[in-house]
Amino acid sequence: MWFYFINTIIILLFVKIIIDRTKSKNLPPGPRGLPIIGNILDIKSLLKKIRLHARVWCHLAKIYGPVVHLKLLFGQSLIIVSGRNAVIQMLSKTEFDGRPNNFEIRLRTGGKRRGLIFNDADEWSEHRRFTVKTLKHLGYDKTNMEDMILDDTVSLLKMIEKLADKKEPITEIYDLISIAVIASFWFLITGSKCQCDQENPKLKEIITIMKENVKDYNTSGHIINYLPFLRYIFPNLTGFTQMQDRYNRMWLYFKKMIRKQDETKIQNEPTNLIDIYLNEIKTRCTNLSSSSCFNDENLIALIRDLFVASIETTSNTIGFVIAFLSVKQDIQKKIHEELDDVLGKDILPCLANRNRLPYLQATLAEVARMGNVGPTSVPHRATNDATLLGYNIKKNSIMLANFMSVHMDENHWGDPEVFRPERFINEIGEYCDDPWIMTFGLGRRRCPGEILAKNILFLVTASMLQKFNFALASGYPEPNLLGIDGFTISPPPLNLVIKKRI
């Protein structure tokens, strides 16, 4: 029975693909592909040679141009947009601001699209406005937040100091950074201090699950996104069992967090995002004409997305800083000298010092450019038939803005494969921003936590480099600084020797 059913589905899809192909005119160029499976084999073949999805997209852009059309399973269109001008045009068009709506995206947030990352339309707009307004109200860009970050950073420095006493190579530096980064977000979201140490097993478990989810994400999509019924027949083979287990554990963790917060909150002026959101739910319940998209499930999804974004982008970027500087000791030495001249070894860095530390800022910018933690945008979806650079883009096409193509553009950078912080220093020794760096995206989908992330990145990195020297342990291979592929790019595994600077 299942055999005939599957054959029928495949035949119907094949007919649909043929019809769609005859209707399609002036689509962007791209490799021809095969019936049913499209360009899946082309992508897999290139991945074996090039290793990273974003580098595959850059390779295809050199062949076909700034807008490339790929076909995924059953004719699903994937549009890769490369080069600064094309990326800016794509991200400035509201008809490209949608998000995909597949089985896995719904599974991750309780069976329905929720939250900030993979949501769109009015529900997304309302939650984005709420998030930006609430973070500003809580002072995430003010001095009190700076003090909180520094407090968590001091805890991180103490943990690193304990590791520095070890005689064997140190491998857990990324775990410590993730816990320290999440601590600052934790206070904004819950209003309480996170236990910022290695003896917080539940938090470590959730961080591990988040990282596994991100590394497991596949732009081409798992098979159950196209044939969801296969989860009933081959739950393990399709990856559904493992996926569902990870998503359920995360969902339950944040659900318990919110329930505890609701039971213990004080009926005064709310001081954290969860309390403010819970008050918003009650306010909207009393106003029958108001939107009802504020509810417990959407709050869980919102918190989940904020935690994922904080861990993956900020902690991975700091991880890449350590990776690059462990290899490039000459650059680390220049940063040490700058920190010593400006701050000495006893005064903790603060945001007011930023402009007095141009070489450190330049190094962070160069890590953002070469590390490419977010090598592409989160997948977009065309909400209507539209055009881009003269090409027709069909409704529901999945679109990726290829930021790596901008960060590694030879015409702009000259020597993009060379790690050279000096490219961000002007003739009088000042740090200069470059609009070609697109770490936090562009347009309406730009990261709402950009200011907080930049502050954490600067303060944590400056504090670590002020106190410690990071070097590769002898006898181990040099790390591959291209990183590890996934939804974001993770820094490579390190075997470190950490020495306290005296």
Side-chain angles (χ1 to χ4, degrees):
M1 177 181 175
W2 282 111
F3 174 78
Y4 295 111
F5 178 72
I6 293 173
N7 273 349
T8 302
I9 293 293
I10 291 174
I11 291 170
L12 290 174
L13 288 169
F14 185 79
V15 171
K16 178 182 180 298
I17 291 168
I18 297 299
I19 294 173
D20 287 345
R21 183 172 292 180
T22 58
K23 289 182 178 179
S24 299
K25 293 182 180 179
N26 197 33
L27 291 178
R32 184 175 180 82
L34 297 170
I36 306 298
I37 64 172
N39 297 115
I40 295 295
L41 294 181
D42 298 324
I43 296 171
K44 288 185 178 297
S45 176
L46 287 170
L47 271 175
K48 286 183 179 180
K49 301 175 184 176
I50 304 177
R51 291 191 63 247
L52 302 179
H53 275 88
R55 286 189 168 249
V56 170
W57 310 149
C58 292
H59 173 80
L60 292 172
K62 289 179 181 179
I63 299 172
Y64 297 103
V67 186
V68 177
H69 179 224
L70 296 171
K71 294 176 284 295
L72 303 180
L73 287 175
F74 307 123
Q76 171 67 62
S77 291
L78 173 64
I79 309 296
I80 308 297
V81 181
S82 302
R84 184 169 182 264
N85 291 336
V87 165
I88 290 174
Q89 285 195 45
M90 171 194 156
L91 297 180
S92 65
K93 290 196 170 190
T94 56
E95 55 263 52
F96 298 146
D97 274 345
R99 288 293 195 226
N101 183 13
N102 60 42
F103 177 82
E104 186 177 352
I105 285 172
R106 295 190 297 272
L107 180 67
R108 70 188 287 276
T109 47
K112 178 184 175 184
R113 282 196 305 172
R114 297 183 173 99
L116 288 179
I117 296 178
F118 285 107
N119 208 350
D120 55 28
D122 293 342
E123 188 173 284
W124 167 77
S125 298
E126 287 199 53
H127 279 80
R128 180 181 170 83
R129 281 195 298 270
F130 168 84
T131 302
V132 172
K133 178 181 177 181
T134 301
L135 290 177
K136 286 185 177 180
H137 171 73
L138 295 173
Y140 84 118
D141 56 349
K142 304 233 172 32
T143 304
N144 59 332
M145 196 63 226
E146 179 179 2
D147 293 339
M148 181 62 63
I149 296 169
L150 286 173
D151 190 33
D152 295 327
T153 301
V154 169
S155 298
L156 172 63
L157 297 178
K158 290 178 180 177
M159 290 187 285
I160 295 176
E161 188 169 359
K162 289 181 181 178
L163 286 181
D165 295 331
K166 285 186 173 183
K167 294 183 179 180
E168 65 269 18
I170 296 162
T171 59
E172 60 264 49
I173 188 67
Y174 297 152
D175 294 335
L176 298 184
I177 291 170
S178 293
I179 292 173
V181 166
I182 209 171
S184 299
F185 286 87
W186 190 286
F187 182 77
L188 281 174
I189 291 169
T190 69
S192 61
K193 286 286 291 178
C194 172
Q195 185 183 349
C196 188
D197 58 37
Q198 289 182 286
E199 306 305 322
N200 193 338
K202 197 63 182 176
L203 179 59
K204 285 183 68 177
E205 178 191 358
I206 293 304
I207 291 174
T208 300
I209 293 172
M210 288 182 186
K211 289 182 175 292
E212 287 174 358
N213 284 336
V214 171
K215 288 179 181 178
D216 186 52
Y217 182 84
N218 187 335
T219 305
S220 304
H222 294 94
I223 186 66
I224 58 172
N225 285 328
Y226 303 94
L227 300 172
F229 68 87
L230 289 179
R231 70 189 188 276
Y232 298 119
I233 309 171
F234 309 111
N236 293 321
L237 191 61
T238 59
F240 172 73
T241 301
Q242 302 90 326
M243 207 182 299
Q244 184 183 46
D245 177 63
R246 293 199 301 263
Y247 289 149
N248 286 347
R249 280 192 286 163
M250 285 185 65
W251 192 260
L252 183 60
Y253 178 83
F254 291 117
K255 184 176 182 178
K256 287 181 178 178
M257 176 197 292
I258 292 167
R259 185 185 301 144
K260 180 180 179 181
Q261 187 76 16
D262 194 23
E263 292 171 351
T264 58
K265 72 175 182 176
I266 302 173
Q267 297 301 321
N268 294 322
E269 180 70 20
T271 59
N272 59 82
L273 187 142
I274 292 178
D275 285 355
I276 294 173
Y277 193 104
L278 291 172
N279 285 351
E280 188 74 16
I281 292 175
K282 292 179 181 178
T283 300
R284 290 178 181 240
C285 283
T286 61
N287 183 359
L288 297 179
S289 63
S290 183
S291 170
S292 61
C293 71
F294 278 67
N295 53 53
D296 291 343
E297 288 76 17
N298 276 333
L299 175 56
I300 296 171
L302 174 62
I303 301 304
R304 181 194 188 284
D305 283 353
L306 290 174
F307 272 95
V308 168
S310 68
I311 290 175
E312 281 306 305
T313 55
T314 310
S315 64
N316 279 357
T317 301
I318 297 173
F320 264 114
V321 172
I322 300 302
F324 273 105
L325 295 185
S326 297
V327 173
K328 303 181 182 300
Q329 290 290 310
D330 56 328
I331 293 175
Q332 186 175 178
K333 183 180 179 182
K334 289 180 182 179
I335 296 173
H336 286 157
E337 291 171 350
E338 183 179 70
L339 286 166
D340 290 348
D341 289 343
V342 174
L343 299 175
K345 292 189 176 68
D346 298 320
I347 300 173
L348 273 177
C350 63
L351 296 177
N353 302 138
R354 211 177 230 153
N355 291 335
R356 299 173 62 203
L357 298 167
Y359 198 77
L360 173 60
Q361 286 194 84
T363 301
L364 295 178
E366 185 71 337
V367 169
R369 185 188 71 81
M370 285 198 71
N372 281 296
V373 168
T376 68
S377 64
V378 175
H380 287 233
R381 176 179 60 86
T383 55
N384 294 294
D385 290 340
T387 60
L388 180 63
L389 297 185
Y391 295 112
N392 291 334
I393 307 297
K394 294 187 296 182
K395 181 179 179 179
N396 289 326
S397 294
I398 306 304
M399 307 181 71
L400 290 177
N402 183 5
F403 298 137
M404 181 182 282
S405 69
V406 182
H407 294 166
M408 304 300 288
D409 189 320
E410 188 173 338
N411 292 324
H412 179 72
W413 303 106
D415 53 353
E417 299 291 342
V418 176
F419 189 85
R420 187 167 59 84
E422 287 78 10
R423 69 178 83 245
F424 295 99
I425 303 287
N426 65 16
E427 61 276 2
I428 59 174
E430 297 173 331
Y431 167 74
C432 291
D433 278 319
D434 192 311
W436 284 62
I437 298 293
M438 299 182 174
T439 310
F440 295 94
L442 298 170
R444 293 199 313 151
R445 288 285 184 176
R446 192 180 183 101
C447 174
E450 178 178 350
I451 294 174
L452 180 58
K454 285 182 175 179
N455 290 346
I456 293 174
L457 177 61
F458 173 80
L459 292 171
V460 172
T461 303
S463 299
M464 288 196 302
L465 291 171
Q466 181 191 39
K467 300 295 183 183
F468 302 101
N469 180 81
F470 299 88
L472 300 177
S474 61
Y476 290 87
E478 189 169 297
N480 188 328
L481 294 175
L482 290 178
I484 301 171
D485 204 11
F487 181 56
T488 61
I489 296 179
S490 304
L494 293 177
N495 293 279
L496 292 175
V497 173
I498 302 176
K499 293 183 179 179
K500 189 172 181 180
R501 300 184 65 231
I502 301 174

